[in-house]
Amino acid sequence: MPVEPLSQKEIEDRLAELPGWSVDDVRLTRSYRLGTHFAATAMVVHIAQVQEELDHHSDLTLGYNTVALSVHTHSAGGALTEKDFELAQRVQALAAGHGAQ
């Protein structure tokens, strides 16, 4: 079943539920700061597990003590879809457990 792009109103409504997330050039993005490089690496591994479960993958960047995500749905022509926000919600839920801010 094809994934449908969200309307601007739907994007704004879902974004309001995700503190720290933003839309940058039609991508849903968020950066997290963690206490150490090891903590950031552990969070990347956890995010990778979630992405595999959802079969939906972001651009995921590991810095010294930072993790950055950027996602959109390729199969919807690069638009934002419910899949992007589901991934963001899952990442948001696991971030606190890693001490991410």
Side-chain angles (χ1 to χ4, degrees), residues 36-85:
T36 66
H37 180 68
F38 187 79
T41 302
M43 185 169 164
V44 165
V45 171
H46 198 169
I47 292 169
Q49 290 173 323
V50 169
Q51 291 180 145
E52 286 297 307
E53 288 171 19
L54 296 175
D55 192 26
H56 191 58
H57 302 83
S58 68
D59 290 337
L60 187 56
T61 305
L62 171 64
Y64 168 71
N65 65 343
T66 59
V67 174
L69 293 91
S70 175
V71 65
H72 64 209
T73 304
H74 295 282
S75 63
L80 292 177
T81 68
E82 192 59 49
K83 291 176 81 167
D84 302 308
F85 283 92

Side-chain angles (χ1 to χ4, degrees), residues 25-44:
D25 193 31
V26 301
R27 287 178 161 266
L28 185 59
T29 64
R30 174 73 153 91
S31 293
Y32 292 95
R33 182 167 303 278
L34 293 98
T36 66
H37 180 68
F38 187 79
T41 302
M43 185 169 164
V44 165

